[in-house]
Amino acid sequence: MSVLVAGVDSSTQACKVVIRDAETGALIRAGRARHPDGTEVDPRAWRLALVEAVRNAGGLDGVSALSIGGQQHGMVCLDAAGDVVRPALLWNDTRSAGAAADLVAELGGGDVARGAQAWADAVGSVPVASFTVTKLRWLAEHEPESMARAVAVCLPHDWLTWQLSRDAGNVDELRTDRGDASGTGYWSPATGTYRLDLLRMAAGKDLRVPEVLAPRAGAGAVRQPVDGAIAAGSAPAIFDGAVPDIRLGAGSGDNAAAALGVGAGPGDVVVSIGTSGTVFAVGSTPTADPTGIVAGFADATGRFLPLVCTLNAARVLDAAAAMLGVDLDRLSALALSAEPGAGGLTFVPYLDGERTPNRPDATASLHGVTNANATAANLARAAVEGMLCGLADGLDALCDTGIAVRRVLLIGGGARSEAVRRIAPAVFGAPVAVPAPGEYVADGAARQAAWLLAGGDEPPPWQPAGIEVYESDPHPGVRAAYAAVRDLAPDATRR
């Protein structure tokens, strides 16, 4: 009988579970469940969704190990009893933008440039609103009673792993991995240690933080639930009967898990088009970019994962489809029916503000509209090109840090659009390899679980199937038109 492993992707929008063969990586079964909308969420909703997704996957019978990949950066604060202090602030909650600016200036003694360099030297990244450290400062300033209750802080994947663990309830037993820890703003990928002084500077007090596990270390085992009933407000059991002996992997952040799931290695650049857009590469040395464009994260294998993130990605396609009153397939067909450059239309898609460039209060804008080019096809094309131009800027930034690009791998929900696949190589100026659609964050978590069982220095040699390569002549005019107007996007006053 095959040994099975489970991988979980607890993302912004949904929880996905895959059950795979530990040796071959073959998919056995899968399930999913939605998460609530919003930029702050009661973490108990993640557990409810995990229960539903596991059941939709047919349960965990035969599973020997499980790992969780989760959305990065979110702030989960706990009190001494292990209870959640307030709803978790998610990565895409931009209310801490002012706190981020304050923290950068403070570390530089009032000099922003010096502060940015100091943060990059300390933790490999310059804080922006998405980072946990900035959310802690916001909490201390705006909800001091919540900060007074808090004794520990962790991330979404840390909290879910802890909830499954036999040690759940004891905040001293929180565990994380280097990939997710590197997105907090108070853990250094270069040294492999927490910078508790920076955490204290942000929160105004000491907080307990999860133990950072090695890539293939275990985080305990699934515990026996006390009560299998799903009562209002309670945390339901995942198992209706006896609990199998399931080991828990360290888990990781979503981008590190995706890199593991897609089989990325040195020289690979992954462009992931999900709720956020990310451009990241596997490297052998840490990076420290004082401009703040490239975040110097760690990966889930012991290497490094320099990354550029945009807030606006697949939801740009959703918004364009809604504006045109069409579905995503029709949007794709419209975009492909228009000429490159969209007849002179350029869309700057800052629908939710933006992280790269760091403009949390920006709004989207459409440039170059005339009677001649105001067509549905051109608007669809401009939306796709605008989203891809933002990601191409991220690719350029990675190359500027010395990353050598061997291939570009395109994944995420947005990669299912034919228009995105065909237009991407023209915007990126390079061939694009697109693996078959899959849940690569969950797959990476499952691969990590298999590594936990197998041991060894490297994870099992799983590889995604069905890779298609798309090529196109570059269209530098599209990038040039976008560069000419991207900084003209207006700012909105946000509460």
Side-chain angles (χ1 to χ4, degrees), residues 286-304:
T287 57
D289 177 15
T291 71
I293 296 174
V294 179
F297 295 156
D299 81 343
T301 70
R303 299 182 179 90
F304 301 92

PDB file of all heavy atoms in Angstrom, residues 286-304:
ATOM      1  N   PRO A 286      22.043  35.098   0.430  1.00  0.00           N
ATOM      2  CA  PRO A 286      21.001  36.051   0.817  1.00  0.00           C
ATOM      3  C   PRO A 286      21.156  37.371   0.079  1.00  0.00           C
ATOM      4  O   PRO A 286      22.253  37.729  -0.358  1.00  0.00           O
ATOM      5  CB  PRO A 286      21.217  36.216   2.320  1.00  0.00           C
ATOM      6  CG  PRO A 286      22.647  35.882   2.543  1.00  0.00           C
ATOM      7  CD  PRO A 286      22.989  34.826   1.533  1.00  0.00           C
ATOM      8  N   THR A 287      20.049  38.087  -0.075  1.00  0.00           N
ATOM      9  CA  THR A 287      20.083  39.404  -0.694  1.00  0.00           C
ATOM     10  C   THR A 287      19.636  40.442   0.329  1.00  0.00           C
ATOM     11  O   THR A 287      18.959  40.136   1.304  1.00  0.00           O
ATOM     12  CB  THR A 287      19.154  39.477  -1.920  1.00  0.00           C
ATOM     13  OG1 THR A 287      17.819  39.131  -1.513  1.00  0.00           O
ATOM     14  CG2 THR A 287      19.608  38.525  -3.007  1.00  0.00           C
ATOM     15  N   ALA A 288      20.022  41.694   0.095  1.00  0.00           N
ATOM     16  CA  ALA A 288      19.640  42.797   0.971  1.00  0.00           C
ATOM     17  C   ALA A 288      19.523  44.050   0.123  1.00  0.00           C
ATOM     18  O   ALA A 288      20.511  44.725  -0.144  1.00  0.00           O
ATOM     19  CB  ALA A 288      20.667  42.989   2.087  1.00  0.00           C
ATOM     20  N   ASP A 289      18.301  44.348  -0.331  1.00  0.00           N
ATOM     21  CA  ASP A 289      18.056  45.455  -1.238  1.00  0.00           C
ATOM     22  C   ASP A 289      17.534  46.658  -0.458  1.00  0.00           C
ATOM     23  O   ASP A 289      16.388  46.657  -0.001  1.00  0.00           O
ATOM     24  CB  ASP A 289      17.034  45.029  -2.297  1.00  0.00           C
ATOM     25  CG  ASP A 289      16.654  46.151  -3.248  1.00  0.00           C
ATOM     26  OD1 ASP A 289      17.379  47.169  -3.269  1.00  0.00           O
ATOM     27  OD2 ASP A 289      15.635  46.014  -3.954  1.00  0.00           O
ATOM     28  N   PRO A 290      18.322  47.715  -0.297  1.00  0.00           N
ATOM     29  CA  PRO A 290      17.877  48.865   0.494  1.00  0.00           C
ATOM     30  C   PRO A 290      16.779  49.678  -0.176  1.00  0.00           C
ATOM     31  O   PRO A 290      16.159  50.519   0.482  1.00  0.00           O
ATOM     32  CB  PRO A 290      19.154  49.690   0.668  1.00  0.00           C
ATOM     33  CG  PRO A 290      20.008  49.321  -0.496  1.00  0.00           C
ATOM     34  CD  PRO A 290      19.713  47.879  -0.768  1.00  0.00           C
ATOM     35  N   THR A 291      16.518  49.450  -1.465  1.00  0.00           N
ATOM     36  CA  THR A 291      15.401  50.155  -2.103  1.00  0.00           C
ATOM     37  C   THR A 291      14.066  49.608  -1.629  1.00  0.00           C
ATOM     38  O   THR A 291      13.034  50.263  -1.784  1.00  0.00           O
ATOM     39  CB  THR A 291      15.461  50.020  -3.631  1.00  0.00           C
ATOM     40  OG1 THR A 291      15.141  48.680  -4.024  1.00  0.00           O
ATOM     41  CG2 THR A 291      16.821  50.407  -4.171  1.00  0.00           C
ATOM     42  N   GLY A 292      14.067  48.390  -1.064  1.00  0.00           N
ATOM     43  CA  GLY A 292      12.837  47.778  -0.600  1.00  0.00           C
ATOM     44  C   GLY A 292      12.058  47.068  -1.680  1.00  0.00           C
ATOM     45  O   GLY A 292      11.035  46.431  -1.393  1.00  0.00           O
ATOM     46  N   ILE A 293      12.498  47.137  -2.926  1.00  0.00           N
ATOM     47  CA  ILE A 293      11.761  46.484  -4.013  1.00  0.00           C
ATOM     48  C   ILE A 293      11.867  44.969  -3.895  1.00  0.00           C
ATOM     49  O   ILE A 293      10.875  44.244  -4.012  1.00  0.00           O
ATOM     50  CB  ILE A 293      12.281  46.969  -5.383  1.00  0.00           C
ATOM     51  CG1 ILE A 293      12.002  48.465  -5.554  1.00  0.00           C
ATOM     52  CG2 ILE A 293      11.642  46.176  -6.509  1.00  0.00           C
ATOM     53  CD1 ILE A 293      12.608  49.061  -6.806  1.00  0.00           C
ATOM     54  N   VAL A 294      13.084  44.479  -3.645  1.00  0.00           N
ATOM     55  CA  VAL A 294      13.304  43.040  -3.512  1.00  0.00           C
ATOM     56  C   VAL A 294      13.352  42.674  -2.035  1.00  0.00           C
ATOM     57  O   VAL A 294      14.161  43.213  -1.274  1.00  0.00           O
ATOM     58  CB  VAL A 294      14.610  42.608  -4.207  1.00  0.00           C
ATOM     59  CG1 VAL A 294      14.835  41.103  -4.033  1.00  0.00           C
ATOM     60  CG2 VAL A 294      14.580  42.975  -5.690  1.00  0.00           C
ATOM     61  N   ALA A 295      12.478  41.783  -1.633  1.00  0.00           N
ATOM     62  CA  ALA A 295      12.487  41.282  -0.257  1.00  0.00           C
ATOM     63  C   ALA A 295      13.423  40.084  -0.190  1.00  0.00           C
ATOM     64  O   ALA A 295      13.313  39.149  -0.985  1.00  0.00           O
ATOM     65  CB  ALA A 295      11.076  40.879   0.162  1.00  0.00           C
ATOM     66  N   GLY A 296      14.325  40.095   0.775  1.00  0.00           N
ATOM     67  CA  GLY A 296      15.331  39.037   0.881  1.00  0.00           C
ATOM     68  C   GLY A 296      14.837  37.891   1.751  1.00  0.00           C
ATOM     69  O   GLY A 296      15.274  37.729   2.891  1.00  0.00           O
ATOM     70  N   PHE A 297      13.946  37.075   1.224  1.00  0.00           N
ATOM     71  CA  PHE A 297      13.358  35.982   1.988  1.00  0.00           C
ATOM     72  C   PHE A 297      14.224  34.722   1.921  1.00  0.00           C
ATOM     73  O   PHE A 297      15.196  34.636   1.166  1.00  0.00           O
ATOM     74  CB  PHE A 297      11.956  35.651   1.470  1.00  0.00           C
ATOM     75  CG  PHE A 297      10.943  36.747   1.659  1.00  0.00           C
ATOM     76  CD1 PHE A 297       9.819  36.824   0.858  1.00  0.00           C
ATOM     77  CD2 PHE A 297      11.114  37.713   2.638  1.00  0.00           C
ATOM     78  CE1 PHE A 297       8.876  37.826   1.030  1.00  0.00           C
ATOM     79  CE2 PHE A 297      10.180  38.729   2.827  1.00  0.00           C
ATOM     80  CZ  PHE A 297       9.054  38.781   2.009  1.00  0.00           C
ATOM     81  N   ALA A 298      13.838  33.736   2.717  1.00  0.00           N
ATOM     82  CA  ALA A 298      14.439  32.399   2.680  1.00  0.00           C
ATOM     83  C   ALA A 298      13.463  31.447   2.003  1.00  0.00           C
ATOM     84  O   ALA A 298      12.260  31.714   1.938  1.00  0.00           O
ATOM     85  CB  ALA A 298      14.749  31.922   4.103  1.00  0.00           C
ATOM     86  N   ASP A 299      13.966  30.328   1.497  1.00  0.00           N
ATOM     87  CA  ASP A 299      13.069  29.343   0.893  1.00  0.00           C
ATOM     88  C   ASP A 299      12.839  28.195   1.870  1.00  0.00           C
ATOM     89  O   ASP A 299      13.221  28.264   3.039  1.00  0.00           O
ATOM     90  CB  ASP A 299      13.591  28.876  -0.460  1.00  0.00           C
ATOM     91  CG  ASP A 299      14.669  27.804  -0.382  1.00  0.00           C
ATOM     92  OD1 ASP A 299      15.271  27.609   0.709  1.00  0.00           O
ATOM     93  OD2 ASP A 299      14.916  27.141  -1.407  1.00  0.00           O
ATOM     94  N   ALA A 300      12.223  27.136   1.400  1.00  0.00           N
ATOM     95  CA  ALA A 300      11.864  26.012   2.273  1.00  0.00           C
ATOM     96  C   ALA A 300      12.865  24.871   2.202  1.00  0.00           C
ATOM     97  O   ALA A 300      12.597  23.787   2.717  1.00  0.00           O
ATOM     98  CB  ALA A 300      10.474  25.491   1.908  1.00  0.00           C
ATOM     99  N   THR A 301      14.042  25.107   1.587  1.00  0.00           N
ATOM    100  CA  THR A 301      15.026  24.030   1.449  1.00  0.00           C
ATOM    101  C   THR A 301      16.350  24.343   2.116  1.00  0.00           C
ATOM    102  O   THR A 301      17.249  23.500   2.117  1.00  0.00           O
ATOM    103  CB  THR A 301      15.306  23.729  -0.036  1.00  0.00           C
ATOM    104  OG1 THR A 301      16.021  24.820  -0.626  1.00  0.00           O
ATOM    105  CG2 THR A 301      14.017  23.485  -0.807  1.00  0.00           C
ATOM    106  N   GLY A 302      16.508  25.543   2.656  1.00  0.00           N
ATOM    107  CA  GLY A 302      17.790  25.962   3.207  1.00  0.00           C
ATOM    108  C   GLY A 302      18.490  26.983   2.340  1.00  0.00           C
ATOM    109  O   GLY A 302      19.553  27.480   2.705  1.00  0.00           O
ATOM    110  N   ARG A 303      17.883  27.292   1.184  1.00  0.00           N
ATOM    111  CA  ARG A 303      18.434  28.319   0.295  1.00  0.00           C
ATOM    112  C   ARG A 303      17.711  29.647   0.559  1.00  0.00           C
ATOM    113  O   ARG A 303      17.144  29.851   1.605  1.00  0.00           O
ATOM    114  CB  ARG A 303      18.315  27.863  -1.160  1.00  0.00           C
ATOM    115  CG  ARG A 303      19.088  26.575  -1.465  1.00  0.00           C
ATOM    116  CD  ARG A 303      18.973  26.197  -2.934  1.00  0.00           C
ATOM    117  NE  ARG A 303      19.717  24.987  -3.239  1.00  0.00           N
ATOM    118  CZ  ARG A 303      19.221  23.756  -3.176  1.00  0.00           C
ATOM    119  NH1 ARG A 303      17.952  23.566  -2.814  1.00  0.00           N
ATOM    120  NH2 ARG A 303      19.963  22.699  -3.470  1.00  0.00           N
ATOM    121  N   PHE A 304      17.746  30.527  -0.442  1.00  0.00           N
ATOM    122  CA  PHE A 304      17.173  31.858  -0.282  1.00  0.00           C
ATOM    123  C   PHE A 304      16.183  32.128  -1.404  1.00  0.00           C
ATOM    124  O   PHE A 304      16.206  31.481  -2.459  1.00  0.00           O
ATOM    125  CB  PHE A 304      18.281  32.900  -0.225  1.00  0.00           C
ATOM    126  CG  PHE A 304      19.232  32.645   0.906  1.00  0.00           C
ATOM    127  CD1 PHE A 304      20.381  31.876   0.707  1.00  0.00           C
ATOM    128  CD2 PHE A 304      18.961  33.112   2.183  1.00  0.00           C
ATOM    129  CE1 PHE A 304      21.233  31.600   1.766  1.00  0.00           C
ATOM    130  CE2 PHE A 304      19.813  32.843   3.237  1.00  0.00           C
ATOM    131  CZ  PHE A 304      20.950  32.080   3.026  1.00  0.00           C
TER     132      PHE A 304
END
